[in-house]
Amino acid sequence: MKILIASTLAAGHISPMLAITRILLDDDHEIAFLTGTAFRDRIEASGAQFLPLPANADFDGRDLPSPIPELKDIPPGSQWLRIVCERLFVDAIPAQDRGLREALKHFQADVIVGDDLLFGVLPMLLGPREMRPPIVLCGTSFLHWKRDDGAPDFVGLPPATTKDQREQYAVLAGERDANVNQPVLRKLNEVLKTYGVGPVSVPLFHSVVSLADAYLQLSVPGLEFPRELPPTVHFVGTPPIIRNQAPLPPWAHELDGSRKVVLVTQGTVTNHNFGLLLAPTLAALANEPDLLVVATAGGRPIETIPGPIPSNARLASYLPFEWLLPRVDALVTNGGYGTVNQALSFGIPLVTAGLIEDKADVNARVAWSGVGINLATNAPTSEALREATRTVLDRPSYRMRATQMADEFASIDTRSEVVRTIRRLESQRRAQPRAATMKPARSRRAAR
């Protein structure tokens, strides 16, 4: 098949989509990858054909504030989220849609595979089904779907267990709906109206989950709050780590099992201030003789990590996770979704500290599932980090739950599930033209 991969311009989305690309290339499909020019080298190195998004949808997604400078002065909350949704996602729909349609003219794809924030697929998804290829979306963040307890997303709330909690969640959900969801939907439906499709009546992030022909959640059910989900959703585990992305560090031989290894990372996006997590963690564990603390700077120079570097710390800009994770005993992270899932697939218990972007919700799931401790802050103290890290290392229940989660990941053959889903949709597409001639074209609405 010819498969068009398309991704928004964030490293946390590009990386899993590149892993999906690797799976499909290994299955002998021809791949073109549509995204921003900042990622051109990575795309071409994967073996896929690179296609650039139109200029007004192309920026360096490794620096989120760059397209919206005012975000730097707005604290996390409803206003921050509304501006991101409107400016970063809704405003990008026309250019992303144009990029997709131009790509299909030159690369006649049998299937489109995108990430969950590529809202430029909405005009196609809401338009006549027979006028487009099947569209598969990949959940690279927590599953955006309405909860049984009514809690809003991006607040980091655990499942409600009491009536009082449900009532509190209902108030928060009402405020979120009035201040974020409805303003964003008004702007979204104005854009969709120019295409003659819509309207959408569910929150922006939920809309693509039910509209996609298949929605591949890159995780396991055990890390997701239980609730009724649309039939489009399939849990497919975490994609295999792309190998040989970084060399072994010169201190690789020190991970010989003589000391427990604690890995600390702030990911590749929220890593402009290492004083939030990396530096406090190094300080917190500096006097733990039984620990070797490994810190990765997510691509930034290690010299940007502030403070004195303890004797039991080892630093690197990048590290080969396929080599490292089997040697790690605990992970301290701000809660990047891909990193959390990769760690759990190796049975590694977690300490999480992050509230921005999707991290509050990811970290709430870590605590709820019992695989780690959520410090529920962007700036944890060294004392809190030391206590939490020693707890997940020394209390067997965390390792046991993480091991059970690893077994759940191992029960899913991610490669087979991805390939099987795409092949099934292609088979349906081949049968579609005959059926399509029997029915008038209709646009779709987002399911309620």
Side-chain angles (χ1 to χ4, degrees), residues 27 62 99 145 162 170 180 216 260 283 309 322 338-339 352 362 411:
D27 201 50
R62 294 167 295 190
W145 193 249
T162 67
V180 180
L216 305 182
K260 291 184 177 180
I309 305 303
E322 75 277 9
T339 299
T352 63
V362 174
S411 71

Side-chain angles (χ1 to χ4, degrees), residues 158-360:
T161 57
T162 67
K163 180 181 177 182
D164 287 346
Q165 272 186 310
R166 286 180 175 272
E167 291 175 351
Q168 179 189 13
Y169 287 6
V171 172
L172 294 172
E175 293 173 350
R176 175 57 52 85
D177 192 56
N179 296 324
V180 180
N181 294 340
Q182 292 307 315
V184 172
L185 279 176
R186 284 193 291 271
K187 187 164 188 176
L188 171 63
N189 286 323
E190 288 174 2
V191 172
L192 295 176
K193 189 175 181 179
T194 65
Y195 293 91
V197 298
V200 170
S201 58
V202 298
L204 174 68
F205 291 96
H206 297 189
S207 62
V208 291
V209 177
S210 60
L211 286 171
D213 297 305
Y215 192 90
L216 305 182
Q217 185 64 25
L218 304 183
S219 187
V220 293
L223 193 61
E224 190 51 65
F225 298 149
R227 57 204 189 273
E228 186 177 352
L229 299 173
T232 52
V233 175
H234 309 275
F235 287 89
V236 297
T238 189
I241 298 171
I242 300 175
R243 304 180 68 84
N244 302 318
Q245 295 295 292
L248 287 178
W251 38 262
H253 62 282
E254 296 187 60
L255 277 68
D256 57 5
S258 59
R259 288 183 282 182
K260 291 184 177 180
V261 176
V262 176
L263 171 63
V264 55
T265 175
Q266 288 184 212
T268 55
V269 177
T270 316
N271 63 2
H272 295 286
N273 180 5
F274 288 134
L276 292 177
L277 187 59
L278 255 69
T281 302
L282 295 178
L285 304 178
N287 297 318
E288 303 294 309
D290 63 326
L291 302 183
L292 185 67
V293 185
V294 174
T296 173
R300 295 186 66 200
I302 60 175
E303 292 78 18
T304 57
I305 299 175
I309 305 303
S311 61
N312 68 338
R314 302 294 181 267
L315 312 181
S317 179
Y318 275 124
L319 286 168
F321 269 33
E322 75 277 9
W323 164 81
L324 177 62
L325 290 183
R327 295 166 169 80
V328 171
D329 295 284
L331 169 67
V332 180
T333 173
N334 52 3
Y337 192 69
T339 299
V340 165
N341 278 275
Q342 285 179 349
L344 290 175
S345 73
F346 286 90
I348 301 170
L350 308 164
V351 173
T352 63
L355 297 177
I356 64 172
E357 300 160 349
D358 62 347
K359 292 176 175 57

Side-chain angles (χ1 to χ4, degrees), residues 102-176:
E102 285 296 320
L104 291 174
K105 288 180 183 178
H106 305 289
F107 185 84
Q108 297 180 350
D110 300 297
V111 178
I112 296 172
V113 181
D115 75 296
D116 51 342
L117 297 187
L118 188 80
F119 298 108
V121 299
L122 280 172
M124 286 189 187
L125 287 173
L126 290 162
R129 175 64 182 81
E130 64 273 20
M131 298 298 292
R132 61 167 176 82
I135 295 177
V136 179
L137 296 181
C138 299
T140 62
S141 177
F142 69 92
L143 184 53
H144 301 292
W145 193 249
K146 56 187 176 183
R147 288 171 46 170
D148 292 344
D149 59 9
D153 289 340
F154 301 105
V155 186
L157 297 171
T161 57
T162 67
K163 180 181 177 182
D164 287 346
Q165 272 186 310
R166 286 180 175 272
E167 291 175 351
Q168 179 189 13
Y169 287 6
V171 172
L172 294 172
E175 293 173 350
R176 175 57 52 85

Side-chain angles (χ1 to χ4, degrees), residues 72-91:
K72 296 178 180 179
D73 302 318
I74 300 174
S78 291
Q79 183 186 12
W80 188 95
L81 182 59
R82 177 184 58 77
I83 291 173
V84 167
C85 289
E86 292 179 345
R87 298 278 302 281
L88 200 62
F89 300 136
V90 175
D91 285 355

